[in-house]
Amino acid sequence: MSNVVRVAVTGAAGQVAYTLLPRLASGEVFGPNTKVILQLLEVPRSVFPKAMEGLEGVAMELEDCAFPTLQEIIVTDDENTAFNGVNYALLVGAAPRGPGMERKDLLMKNAQIFQKQGSALAAKAATGVRILVVGNPCNTNCLIAYRNGKDIPQNQWGAMTRLDHNRAVGALAKKAGVANEEVTNVTIWGNHSNTQYPDFTNAKIKGKPATEVITDRTWLETVYVPQCQERGKAIINKRGLSSAFSAANGALDHVKSLLKPTPAGDWTSAAVISNGEYGVPKGLVFGYPVRSDGQGNLSIVPGLSLDTFGKSKFDATLKELLEEQDAVKDLLPS
Ligand code: NAD
Ligand code: LMR
């Protein structure tokens, strides 16, 4: 065993982290020959005593798994300690929405967390750190963290649309009656919110355009798209809690994609900092089709076209992200 990877997870006593952490520690993501040091952040005891206590319990459970790949667990309520030397930072810690809330209701509530964590990451993380923002509203939280942590190059930041991507794949596979792996080339454009556009027009099923396999365009536009957009809310309504293991799974899939080249001809979805691609203003954190080189670098797939329906959905999600950006403008240093 020669490699050691340091992984920070914030909100580490929360429900997403509860399934994220054992899978990170187990070797599933970084392989059997890499030791993992988990650097776990929670809110200070002075603010909410139960959080650090809960985290200590989680750390005890991790110890009790005796994973051969888990080298060390650091439990802290200090950002600088949590982000010290980290190669990956999974920013999960933030209040989730409850029944009756929209994700944008969380904007001001969670924004300051990401302002502080962006600066701490820039000060403390390893060169080459890869950051994934999961805490909602994740695109704009990522924007805040990036703008406050600008010493970290922009291609090292991302926000999670992989759960949406997996949802979009699963729903097409179910409708077409095929295995999940036979659905490819799905894109989640824009925001991780109910304006996202799960693009079925460029998707493929068994290598054929999805629209040739599922010919019911009305279903695609009026059932499939809203189902993907509102899936988070539907789960909250059923469970009384927001999605947890599927969210953790999306985050792990995102990190695995960074480590492995994307199969030829396919792509996946991630929200990354725009350089103006597809007419999105530079600097916005926008969900795109991306490919990975397997070395931690995602590149945006160029040249996809959208039809009139797709373009209207794209414009709606772009508009929402611009509004979110405007709402947090005071937290965005230039
Ligand atoms: P949770 O309430 O169970 O856990 C969140 C944890 O974050 C809590 O333990 C809380 O104490 C901690 N926390 C809050 N502020 C913190 C800070 N400044 N530093 C460190 N920790 C902090 O919530 P959850 O269900 O685990 O969800 C976590 C976040 O992930 C929520 O914002 C939720 O909306 C989001 N989420 C995103 C996606 C996605 O697809 N992007 C999917 C599911 C959940
Ligand atoms: C999800 O999509 O399940 C999460 O972002 C939780 C939410 O608020 O929808």
Side-chain angles (χ1 to χ4, degrees):
M1 292 240 183
S2 52
N3 301 333
V4 177
V5 68
R6 289 181 176 270
V7 185
V9 177
T10 72
Q15 48 148 11
V16 171
Y18 195 70
T19 44
L20 188 58
L21 294 173
R23 291 180 63 187
L24 278 171
S26 71
E28 174 189 332
V29 177
F30 300 104
N33 299 320
T34 298
K35 293 272 196 189
V36 177
I37 300 177
L38 289 175
Q39 306 193 180
L40 308 180
L41 182 70
E42 259 299 341
V43 291
R45 271 180 228 279
S46 53
V47 177
F48 183 54
K50 284 218 151 124
M52 282 302 286
E53 219 170 286
L55 180 53
E56 282 161 6
V58 170
M60 287 160 72
E61 284 207 62
L62 284 165
E63 282 174 18
D64 294 349
C65 293
F67 292 117
T69 43
L70 181 58
Q71 178 166 309
E72 191 182 347
I73 308 164
I74 296 167
V75 164
T76 181
D77 60 6
D78 171 52
E79 279 89 359
N80 291 319
T81 307
F83 297 145
N84 194 22
V86 292
N87 309 103
Y88 295 88
L90 306 182
L91 306 187
V92 181
R97 66 174 169 156
M101 290 170 79
E102 287 306 329
R103 266 175 279 230
K104 66 180 172 219
D105 298 334
L106 296 174
L107 198 56
M108 296 321 290
K109 191 167 179 181
N110 286 332
Q112 280 168 5
I113 297 176
F114 293 88
Q115 187 182 25
K116 207 168 160 203
Q117 291 184 357
S119 337
L121 277 163
K124 290 291 177 181
T127 310
V129 62
R130 294 301 189 268
I131 300 151
L132 176 67
V133 179
V134 175
N136 277 319
C138 62
N139 296 56
T140 299
N141 288 339
C142 181
L143 174 72
I144 296 167
Y146 160 64
R147 290 283 286 277
N148 286 278
K150 260 194 149 175
D151 290 347
I152 301 174
Q154 70 172 62
N155 70 342
Q156 295 174 210
W157 297 86
M160 187 164 96
T161 52
R162 188 57 170 268
L163 169 58
D164 309 286
H165 178 98
N166 290 343
R167 287 168 171 165
V169 167
L172 284 181
K174 188 172 171 189
K175 178 74 174 173
V178 303
N180 291 325
E181 72 208 43
E182 289 174 319
V183 177
T184 60
N185 303 85
V186 164
T187 307
I188 305 298
W189 296 98
N191 203 0
H192 169 66
S193 77
N194 64 2
T195 66
Q196 67 180 260
Y197 176 43
D199 178 8
F200 56 84
T201 62
N202 287 294
K204 292 186 178 157
I205 297 174
K206 289 188 162 188
K208 286 171 48 177
T211 48
E212 286 178 18
V213 178
I214 301 170
T215 53
D216 184 350
R217 176 83 189 200
T218 305
W219 180 84
L220 288 165
E221 288 188 11
T222 65
V223 179
Y224 173 73
V225 169
Q227 179 186 309
C228 295
Q229 291 175 325
E230 297 288 356
R231 190 67 162 185
K233 182 186 260 182
I235 289 166
I236 291 169
N237 289 343
K238 293 281 184 195
R239 294 183 75 229
L241 288 169
S242 81
S243 64
F245 69 76
S246 57
N249 184 66
L252 294 164
D253 279 353
H254 180 104
V255 177
K256 287 178 192 172
S257 286
L258 291 173
L259 295 166
K260 200 170 154 208
T262 307
D266 199 5
W267 59 73
T268 185
S269 302
V272 296
I273 295 161
S274 177
N275 255 323
E277 294 88 348
Y278 292 94
V280 173
K282 272 189 177 188
L284 210 62
V285 179
F286 196 83
Y288 281 111
V290 295
R291 289 181 51 77
S292 167
D293 65 1
Q295 310 291 315
N297 303 306
L298 297 176
S299 57
I300 295 168
V301 176
L304 300 187
S305 40
L306 295 176
D307 60 14
T308 311
F309 174 80
K311 189 75 180 74
S312 73
K313 298 289 170 200
F314 183 101
D315 290 346
T317 197
L318 175 56
K319 179 169 174 283
E320 183 183 51
L321 279 169
L322 289 169
E323 285 165 4
E324 287 187 16
Q325 176 177 242
D326 193 51
V328 300
K329 61 179 184 301
D330 293 345
L331 301 177
L332 303 178
S334 48

